[in-house]
């Protein structure tokens, strides 16, 4: 009798689970869908758009061109995640880098691991490439400015309600003088009710 009951429960569970079919559809990348209330692609996109607007339309850029007669060279450093969630800053940083290049107003140089990979390639060329095509040492562009920042969050919750506040801060610093020439931020606040 007990075995029959277990078999019936298993069959009922299987029939219920087969009724739940998964549906997947393609949606536009500009459409905002917030399922969990956590940081998502829409937050990343909105942050990138706000930061690009701020950084390319502030006075530091015109001041640099007026002073030097050249476009500034920027390197993007680290963006620290100090929030309570796992957030990859890479998506909106890539959007900012793309905007720098596409604007034609800023020159961008590689940072971190990618720069080291380029240096390894250059070193390899010294041994394996022809003298005519091997790239020379000491020809890298030195950055005029470094972009760094952090992602912070504050969570306030009570019973079945929660407000999550995110603040992304970026700052641009003159590499030679250490003068901070621009600070920008983007704030996002979400109300979640369960």
């Amino acid at each position: 009798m007990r075995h029959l009951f277990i078999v019936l429960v298993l069959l009922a569970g299987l029939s219920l689970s087969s009724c739940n079919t998964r549906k997947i559809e393609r949606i536009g990348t500009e459409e905002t869908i917030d399922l969990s209330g956590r940081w998502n692609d829409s937050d990343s996109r909105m942050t990138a758009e706000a930061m690009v607007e701020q950084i390319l339309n502030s006075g530091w850029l015109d001041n640099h061109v007026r002073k030097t007669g050249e476009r500034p060279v920027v390197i993007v450093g680290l963006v620290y995640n100090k929030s309570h969630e796992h957030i990859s800053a890479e998506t909106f940083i890539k959007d900012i880098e793309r905007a720098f290049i596409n604007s034609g107003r800023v020159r961008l140089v590689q940072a971190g691991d990618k720069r080291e990979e380029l240096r390894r390639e250059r070193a390899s060329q010294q041994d394996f490439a022809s003298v005519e095509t091997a790239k020379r040492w000491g020809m890298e562009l030195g950055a005029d400015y470094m972009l760094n920042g952090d992602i912070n969050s504050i969570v306030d919750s009570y019973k079945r309600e929660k407000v999550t506040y995110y603040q992304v801060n970026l700052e641009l610093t003159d590499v030679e003088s250490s003068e901070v020439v621009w600070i920008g931020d983007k704030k996002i606040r979400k109300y979640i009710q369960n």
Side-chain angles (χ1 to χ4, degrees):
M1 187 69 158
R2 181 179 157 116
H3 292 291
L4 179 61
F5 177 73
I6 291 173
V7 169
L8 288 175
V9 168
L10 288 173
L11 287 175
L14 287 174
S15 67
L16 286 176
S17 68
S18 67
C19 293
N20 297 331
T21 59
R22 177 177 257 182
K23 180 183 174 189
I24 299 171
E25 63 182 89
R26 300 282 183 252
I27 57 174
T29 56
E30 299 298 316
E31 189 174 338
T32 299
I33 296 178
D34 205 334
L35 298 175
S36 67
R38 292 189 297 268
W39 181 271
N40 61 33
D41 63 309
S42 296
D43 301 319
S44 182
R45 185 182 68 250
M46 287 187 302
T47 299
E49 289 169 357
M51 294 298 198
V52 164
E53 176 77 21
Q54 291 176 40
I55 201 166
L56 289 178
N57 294 314
S58 63
W60 73 274
L61 190 52
D62 292 334
N63 291 341
H64 178 87
V65 172
R66 206 172 16 260
K67 183 174 141 184
T68 66
E70 298 180 355
R71 295 178 298 156
V73 178
V74 176
I75 189 167
V76 178
L78 297 174
V79 176
Y80 297 97
N81 179 13
K82 297 179 180 178
S83 76
H84 70 287
E85 296 176 21
H86 169 74
I87 296 175
S88 173
E90 190 66 25
T91 54
F92 70 88
I93 290 300
K94 278 295 166 204
D95 286 340
I96 290 170
E97 289 177 337
R98 187 179 309 103
F100 278 158
I101 292 169
N102 291 342
S103 75
R105 299 174 66 198
V106 175
R107 298 170 76 185
L108 187 70
V109 293
Q110 288 289 6
D113 293 341
K114 292 177 183 175
R115 180 174 55 196
E116 292 307 315
E117 185 178 357
L118 286 166
R119 289 175 178 166
R120 285 191 300 274
E121 171 59 23
R122 197 174 305 120
S124 177
Q125 286 185 12
Q126 304 312 306
D127 293 330
F128 301 109
S130 69
V131 174
E132 300 81 31
T133 61
K135 303 307 172 229
R136 298 177 291 162
W137 289 102
M139 300 304 291
E140 291 181 22
L141 280 178
D144 299 307
Y145 302 94
M146 179 177 270
L147 185 68
N148 293 90
D150 53 55
I151 305 167
N152 297 282
S153 66
I154 299 170
V155 177
D156 183 23
S157 63
Y158 182 72
K159 294 186 180 181
R160 298 171 56 102
E161 296 178 284
K162 178 167 72 170
V163 174
T164 304
Y165 171 80
Y166 299 96
Q167 182 167 329
V168 178
N169 303 299
L170 293 179
E171 37 185 74
L172 192 67
T173 306
D174 184 307
V175 172
E176 188 169 72
S177 68
S178 294
E179 177 186 6
V180 177
V181 297
W182 173 83
I183 294 179
D185 65 29
K186 172 65 177 161
K187 299 170 184 162
I188 297 173
R189 205 165 169 222
K190 295 184 178 189
Y191 172 69
I192 302 129
Q193 186 176 20
N194 292 326

